[in-house]
Amino acid sequence: MPAKIVLATRNRHKVGEIAAMAAGRGLEFSCLGDHRELPEVVEDQPTLEGNARKKSLEAALALGRWSLAEDTGLQVDALGGEPGVMSARYAGPGCDFAANNRKLLAALEGVEPRRRRAVFRTVMALCSPDGEVVLEDGVLEGSIGLAPRGTGGFGYDPVFLVGDTGRTLAELSSEEKNGLSHRRRAFEKMLPHLRRVAP
Ligand code: IMP
């Protein structure tokens, strides 16, 4: 029988990516969309670590189950690391992905390509049913393009050029993105801890 674990997110893109990475590893995921009785987690911590910890802890304690959560930020050098922990709400409360990308490109208007370096960073948190949390992180290096390109992925993917490939994350197939992403790198580091859930 697969071991049950709750993915503490309502973001269907994250659920899809993490479930694909975990395929064949003896884990059965539910997500917060399957537990509508749980209140929304307020992501009010000043760090990715703090928010990832909070999301995993609240779900694990409420459900009495193992829980996996993550918080991701885009950190742009020329903007002093912004949007960072504010990545989801960069263009304001309730904004959509397109508004965030427009604001980011406007903030970098006139900044030459070699000064547009950026990283995606994911912090993943695994929490046991009794509230013990472990954290791991993953980083993907790249830069911000001059205009959005590609239709895959979500969020800032259309404006994030991967390393020096000249391709945005949104121009990669989902298999390609899941093979190299910040989320994948955090997940790989989390695998030894996940063996406690599914030996
Ligand atoms: P959070 O981890 O849900 O707080 O996500 C922060 C924001 O970062 C999201 O709203 C997305 O806009 C963006 N984001 C998170 N992961 C990715 C990714 O893999 N690609 C592009 N954008 C992402």
Side-chain angles (χ1 to χ4, degrees):
M1 266 253 293
K4 290 197 172 159
I5 184 162
V6 58
L7 274 181
T9 181
R10 296 186 199 274
N11 180 326
R12 65 184 173 83
H13 304 281
K14 291 185 181 182
V15 174
E17 291 185 8
I18 294 170
M21 292 171 207
R25 299 189 189 274
L27 294 166
E28 183 181 308
F29 287 108
S30 62
C31 67
L32 292 186
D34 304 319
H35 300 283
R36 296 192 181 275
E37 72 281 9
L38 296 189
E40 204 72 40
V41 177
V42 182
E43 295 187 30
D44 56 1
Q45 300 299 299
T47 60
L48 299 176
E49 283 81 359
N51 283 324
R53 173 185 294 276
K54 184 174 182 185
K55 287 188 265 192
S56 71
L57 193 57
E58 289 192 11
L61 295 183
L63 297 168
R65 296 225 196 128
W66 285 93
S67 144
L68 188 66
E70 62 100 296
D71 205 47
T72 295
L74 175 67
Q75 302 170 348
V76 181
D77 282 6
L79 302 177
E82 283 190 3
V85 74
M86 295 297 291
S87 292
R89 292 152 286 161
Y90 184 48
C95 63
D96 62 11
F97 296 148
N100 281 337
N101 285 331
R102 276 196 302 273
K103 179 168 176 183
L104 181 62
L105 292 176
L108 290 173
E109 181 90 49
V111 177
E112 55 186 310
R114 65 184 177 85
R115 293 198 52 239
R116 298 170 78 98
R117 190 184 166 276
V119 298
F120 265 120
R121 181 161 181 262
T122 291
V123 175
M124 209 168 259
L126 176 69
C127 185
S128 70
D130 54 4
E132 188 195 328
V133 179
V134 288
L135 299 173
E136 296 289 358
D137 79 334
V139 170
L140 178 64
E141 299 196 344
S143 62
I144 304 302
L146 298 172
R149 280 205 329 252
T151 54
F154 68 102
Y156 296 95
D157 283 350
V159 296
F160 187 87
L161 292 162
V162 181
D164 52 12
T165 64
R167 294 166 81 199
T168 69
L169 272 174
E171 292 179 304
L172 305 186
S173 67
S174 53
E175 290 76 16
E176 286 173 319
K177 179 183 175 188
N178 289 341
L180 55 69
S181 71
H182 38 294
R183 191 162 288 111
R184 174 56 176 245
R185 291 172 183 181
F187 183 75
E188 289 288 327
K189 288 197 213 165
M190 194 54 89
L191 277 175
H193 307 295
L194 282 166
R195 295 209 182 91
R196 288 180 61 198
V197 188

